[in-house]
Amino acid sequence: MDLGISGRRALVCAASKGLGYACAEALAAEGVNMVIAARTEGPLQEAAEALRSAYGVEVTAIACDITTPAGREVALAACPDPDILVNNAGGPPPGDFRDWSRDDWIKALDANMLTPIELIKATVDGMIERRFGRIVNITSAAVKQPIEALGLSNGARAGLTGFVAGIARQTVAHNVTINNLLPGPFETDRLRSNIQSAAEKSGRSIAEVAEARRLENPAKRFGDPAEFGQACAWLCSSLSGFVTGQNIVLDGGAYRGTL
Ligand code: NAP
């Protein structure tokens, strides 16, 4: 299926690996030129080169912390007028809410709520003028079904979700859509390190913990990041202009609600 976005420009945040990279790759496969951002220069340059050589698209790698004003400034300077914006950043650490200070909360809000809002603010009016825009925020299945130890994530991402629900209805008449993708367990470095720490805490092997986690999912497996990237590419496509303000869960059916 041709998604009708060949030659479009994208800014894909937190995209040297994991879900962000998978989104960048699926867009690159559609002929989208892009700026990708992540903090660590080496893996970021490698990711950019992999995309260029596999798909022949223009990829600029900007090493920056997207959760800071300075980081957003350099990313936006490299891509001031994207047609497609994929918002992503690392997730906050787990813990007990009694231990979290105001600073911990501000950090989580900066990363997972205010950064995407700032990037939307900086790019959405240009999209409206050009009458095409696709914004996808990578959030978490925890928005629908909170994960107890991830209170910082539950709270910050819920804030973003509420904000998006309001503005997505204001932009869609201009062919600018804003949607959230809610990952369940996808096999990325983040999931692997969660499994490793769970194994260390419980005294079980990594393989045992991973297998137990796979089996607790209705699909009996983890998600492949490429599956996530494909969903993102479709939401960024010319075919999806009637879909806005949605929260699409990709979790193998782990969320047990009827709706
Ligand atoms: P990952 O495999 O650890 O990859 C994270 C990517 O983001 C890397 O490229 C990393 O590069 C970049 N990054 C992190 N913090 C950044 C920052 N401040 N500025 C710029 N780039 C940054 O993680 P993932 O599994 O893809 O997760 C992506 C998001 O989805 C996270 O918010 C996570 O909480 C959420 N999520 C993931 C899952 C899952 O199962 N994988 C489930 C639910 C939610 P650098 O470290 O070099 O910056």
Side-chain angles (χ1 to χ4, degrees), residues 44-117:
L44 179 66
Q45 293 296 349
E46 279 168 31
E49 189 43 38
L51 295 172
R52 282 184 211 111
S53 59
Y55 303 104
V57 292
E58 290 167 25
V59 183
T60 304
I62 300 291
C64 67
D65 182 341
I66 202 71
T67 67
T68 65
R72 289 190 290 277
E73 200 179 315
V74 286
L76 286 167
C79 190
D81 53 1
D83 303 308
I84 293 166
L85 168 65
V86 178
N87 278 313
N88 186 29
D96 185 317
F97 75 92
R98 293 169 189 82
D99 300 327
W100 293 328
S101 64
R102 178 177 165 78
D103 280 352
D104 294 323
W105 273 108
I106 297 296
K107 215 169 156 193
L109 291 169
D110 263 341
N112 298 115
M113 178 183 173
L114 299 176
T115 289
I117 290 174

Side-chain angles (χ1 to χ4, degrees), residues 13-21 37-41 43-44 62-68 87-92 111-112 138-142 147 150 153 157 181-194 222-223 225 228 250:
C13 303
S16 64
K17 57 186 184 174
L19 302 180
Y21 179 80
R39 292 165 302 181
T40 318
E41 182 86 44
L44 179 66
I62 300 291
C64 67
D65 182 341
I66 202 71
T67 67
T68 65
N87 278 313
N88 186 29
N112 298 115
I138 300 180
T139 65
S140 172
I147 298 170
L150 290 180
S153 171
R157 295 188 200 275
L181 280 179
L182 284 59
F186 277 84
E187 199 151 8
T188 65
D189 282 1
R190 179 178 165 89
L191 185 76
R192 283 186 279 270
S193 77
N194 286 347
F222 296 135
F228 190 89
L250 286 88

